[in-house]
Amino acid sequence: MILKSLYLQDFGVFQGSFDENYVDLEPRTKYNKKRPIILFGGLNGAGKTTTLTAVRLALYGKQSLGRAVSVQAYHDFLLDSIHKPKGSVLKPNTAGVKLDFNFGRQGEVIDYTVKRVWTVRGNSVFESVEIYQNGEYLQNLTDQQKQSFLNELIPIGVADLFFFDGEKIAELADDSDNTALADAINRLLGLDIIDRLKADLGVYLRDQKRDQLPSDIKKEIETLEAEYQSLYAAYQAKLSDIDTLKIETTELEATKERLTQNINELGGAWASNKQEAEAKEQALRAKRNELQNQIRNLIADAAPLAFAKTQLEALLKQLSAEQQTKRQLVVQVELRKQLNKVQRSLLKSLGKEHQKAIEASITASMADSSASNNAADTEIIHDISDSEFNRLNHLITKVVPEQQARVKTLSTELESVEEELANVGLNLSRAPDERRISNFVTELAGLERTLGQRQVEVKLKTEEAKSTLRDAMDNLRKLRDKEKEFSSVSNLNQAVTLADRTRGLLEGFAVKTREQRIQQLEQEFIKSFAKLARKDDLMITAKIDPDTFNVSLVDGKGNIIDKKKLSAGEKQIYAIAMLEALGRTSGRNLPIIIDTPLGRLDSRHRENLVKNYFPTASHQVLILSTDTEVDEDFYKDLSPEISHAFEVAYDPEAGSSGYYEGYFWRH
């Protein structure tokens, strides 16, 4: 299958006709090589995801929104999808999507066009679907038959493996009860068709066997079946009631949203938080006063001395030198005393005839001592005591820097408080007079009460429906037991015998097929995960239980890994690897559309995905990305595989978006 062209008419943020919003999706050949990647770049909100939405909508209609979506919810979606022009009085009442693609069937490539257009008339939405095969309109098909035709071409369960976005990846990554994976595998393997065939054969067998039962037993069985049909019809009716309540709940929620928006436009969002804002303002004012007092106390103490840093350093240097000089003078005085004692002792011992020699020697020693300590270099100006010097030294080297840092911290905190006060004051000024919004608030309160009642009713009806379904199943079990009790006495003809054997054969076939395909899926997962994971990731393999579809991740040492403990990026890599493995196991040759795939990945996982997944994922790969996902470096890595690129750009003046060939920085 190749997606060839997509056309949009007043769809979402795209304004204008099909011809004005046309995008070429077919891979192009460059340098004798068909390149698979078509890259769409757009900022958030520009409308790039609309491409994926439009493709799915064109092919699957209501089913593109999910299985349990009501007609009313689908019509609401279509209504909301019609472009709303900026500043225009006349708004379009019609929108549509059109998709050209080709598909290989039985060795023949067939061109298809599906065109889906919807129009609003009053409060109703009218949708029309047209399908063209090789340019010829497929006539005599109802809308339901047209959708069945498209579903047969590309079943939506299989397409989910190829057209997926971040939500699909997250669903599979966080699939704790294996529901999403089991559904994908069943649809992938066609087991749902086998189950339907088994059910049809079961109906045939029951009808054939029942005709051969005694009349009284047959009547009893017919009574049980009538009771079952009645109970099941009651169950279906309750489901219908639930759907009606859900639709009403949806409408109430929409009304609530509109009413909330009206209140917000009148400043209600600010009014609802007014008391909280006033309390916060009072607390901030108290904190501001406390911070200001602390700063004042520091300024009244030693903190201002920090402005005279150079002078303080010079003073401390002078005081240190003076203290050193004073200590040296004390030493000299003490030394002189000791030398005088020595002189007297030498004179006494040697006699006065040696007096001159002794005095000369002592005088020379004193001169040497004075020359070595430079005692006369520093003039004593301040002459402070040692305790005074220690106090000043502590003040200058410790107290002043600490108080300076504290003033800086408190000032930063004060600036933050002042900014918060300004913001709170602005919010309080936005709060309206409560009398302006009181009627809206009263209406909103009543609406919320009604909404709460409907939600309770939905819960009660759901419980009633479950109870009715249990009664129906009990009745059906009695019916089957009764049929089984008398089935052995029936004389079965050859057709019944063959049908019975075929049913048993189908069960065995389903088991064998499931086991073989799951083994293939496990091997494909190992290949996919190995090329997407980082080198320092665990070597992970997967074991899938064929009965429960429980996935056990096993590391290289054989230890079971809890999926819940994987990081967000590892879960995403696991999910993408599983989606690729499912796609390859399906044997389908379909394009891949992937929306914003790199958001939760680190740089190494992103690099592996860009280099090892995108270029080989399929023969046609549509990547919808922001400029921070496929950036200039990744674009360069992908460029040998890029066929062409489009930028989805939003024009705020026009209030609409458009497709422009190129990619952010490349035009």
Side-chain angles (χ1 to χ4, degrees), residues 455-569:
Q455 290 169 342
V456 170
E457 288 177 28
V458 167
K459 188 174 181 180
L460 291 174
K461 289 284 186 183
T462 301
E463 292 301 320
E464 291 176 7
K466 288 180 180 178
S467 176
T468 304
L469 181 61
R470 282 194 295 270
D471 292 341
M473 291 301 102
D474 288 342
N475 198 278
L476 183 62
R477 189 163 45 253
K478 293 176 184 177
L479 176 62
R480 296 291 176 259
D481 290 343
K482 183 64 67 175
E483 289 176 339
K484 186 177 180 181
E485 180 182 348
F486 289 92
S487 63
S488 59
V489 300
S490 301
N491 295 320
L492 302 179
N493 57 32
Q494 186 178 11
V496 173
T497 303
L498 289 174
D500 210 0
R501 289 177 181 175
T502 302
R503 200 159 179 263
L505 181 64
L506 283 172
E507 291 180 4
F509 174 75
V511 170
K512 288 294 183 183
T513 301
R514 184 185 292 114
E515 290 175 352
Q516 290 176 359
R517 285 300 186 89
I518 284 178
Q519 287 178 3
Q520 182 183 352
L521 177 61
E522 291 171 349
Q523 295 303 313
E524 292 291 349
F525 173 80
I526 293 171
K527 294 177 189 175
S528 297
F529 188 85
K531 71 180 182 181
L532 297 181
R534 300 174 304 194
K535 289 183 179 179
D536 55 349
D537 281 339
L538 298 172
M539 292 300 296
I540 293 179
T541 59
K543 291 294 181 183
I544 304 173
D545 188 305
D547 296 320
T548 65
F549 299 104
N550 181 57
V551 180
S552 298
L553 299 179
V554 185
D555 65 19
K557 297 180 181 179
N559 300 316
I560 302 295
I561 301 169
D562 187 354
K563 272 199 303 181
K564 294 179 181 178
K565 294 182 179 179
L566 295 176
S567 67

Side-chain angles (χ1 to χ4, degrees), residues 1-2 60 103 153-155 158-159 162-163 586-592 617-620:
M1 176 182 181
I2 292 285
Y60 302 112
F103 197 89
L153 277 181
I154 318 159
V158 175
F162 294 87
F163 308 156
S586 74
R588 304 270 183 155
N589 199 19
L590 297 178
I592 282 181
S618 177
H619 60 283
Q620 183 182 22

Side-chain angles (χ1 to χ4, degrees), residues 229-429:
Q229 294 293 349
S230 175
L231 286 167
Y232 194 75
Y235 164 70
Q236 294 286 358
K238 291 182 187 299
L239 288 183
S240 178
D241 291 342
I242 292 170
D243 285 340
T244 301
L245 286 170
K246 285 183 176 179
I247 291 170
E248 186 178 350
T249 300
T250 302
E251 291 173 350
L252 287 170
E253 287 175 342
T255 305
K256 176 186 172 183
E257 186 176 345
R258 287 195 297 270
L259 191 57
T260 303
Q261 185 176 352
N262 290 338
I263 293 173
N264 289 340
E265 287 173 355
L266 292 172
W270 312 108
S272 62
N273 296 320
K274 187 176 181 179
Q275 290 183 344
E276 181 182 343
E278 288 174 342
K280 186 175 182 180
E281 183 185 40
Q282 187 175 357
L284 287 171
R285 289 185 184 280
K287 189 172 183 180
R288 181 180 65 179
N289 293 337
E290 181 187 350
L291 290 171
Q292 289 173 340
N293 289 333
Q294 290 183 41
I295 293 172
R296 288 192 193 98
N297 291 335
L298 289 170
I299 291 175
D301 195 15
L305 292 176
F307 295 108
K309 183 179 180 182
T310 303
Q311 290 81 354
L312 288 176
E313 289 176 350
L315 174 62
L316 189 60
K317 184 178 180 181
Q318 173 67 26
L319 292 176
S320 297
E322 287 186 17
Q323 293 303 105
Q324 181 67 22
T325 298
K326 288 167 68 176
R327 283 194 292 272
Q328 290 170 355
L329 290 173
V330 170
V331 170
Q332 286 182 14
V333 171
E334 188 62 32
L335 178 61
R336 185 65 187 175
K337 288 179 182 179
Q338 294 300 323
L339 288 174
N340 287 339
K341 288 181 182 180
V342 171
Q343 182 179 353
R344 287 194 295 272
S345 177
L346 289 173
L347 287 172
K348 187 176 179 180
S349 300
L350 299 176
K352 290 186 178 181
E353 61 272 18
H354 297 289
Q355 182 174 355
K356 288 184 179 180
I358 292 170
E359 287 178 352
S361 177
I362 289 174
T363 300
S365 298
M366 287 294 292
D368 291 342
S369 174
S370 297
S372 64
N373 56 36
N374 297 319
D377 288 349
T378 303
E379 181 185 0
I380 297 176
I381 300 173
H382 304 288
D383 194 16
I384 63 175
S385 65
D386 287 345
S387 61
E388 243 347 85
F389 172 76
N390 291 334
R391 188 184 69 79
L392 284 171
N393 183 51
H394 176 73
L395 178 69
I396 293 169
T397 59
K398 190 168 181 63
V399 175
V400 171
E402 287 180 351
Q403 290 194 1
Q404 181 188 17
R406 180 63 178 155
V407 168
K408 188 174 181 180
T409 301
L410 291 172
S411 298
T412 301
E413 194 173 348
L414 181 60
E415 286 179 9
S416 177
V417 169
E418 293 282 9
E419 186 177 347
E420 282 192 72
L421 266 172
N423 291 335
V424 171
L426 181 61
N427 291 345
L428 285 172
S429 68

Side-chain angles (χ1 to χ4, degrees), residues 129-145:
V129 181
E130 298 176 7
I131 301 175
Y132 297 85
Q133 180 173 303
N134 289 331
E136 294 186 7
Y137 178 62
L138 297 183
Q139 300 180 1
N140 302 321
L141 293 178
T142 65
D143 285 349
Q144 187 175 1
Q145 289 170 336

Side-chain angles (χ1 to χ4, degrees), residues 15 59 88 110 150 206 261 266 279 299 403 407 524 612:
Q15 182 178 15
L59 291 173
S88 175
I110 303 172
L150 291 171
R206 284 196 301 274
Q261 185 176 352
L266 292 172
I299 291 175
Q403 290 194 1
V407 168
E524 292 291 349
N612 301 326

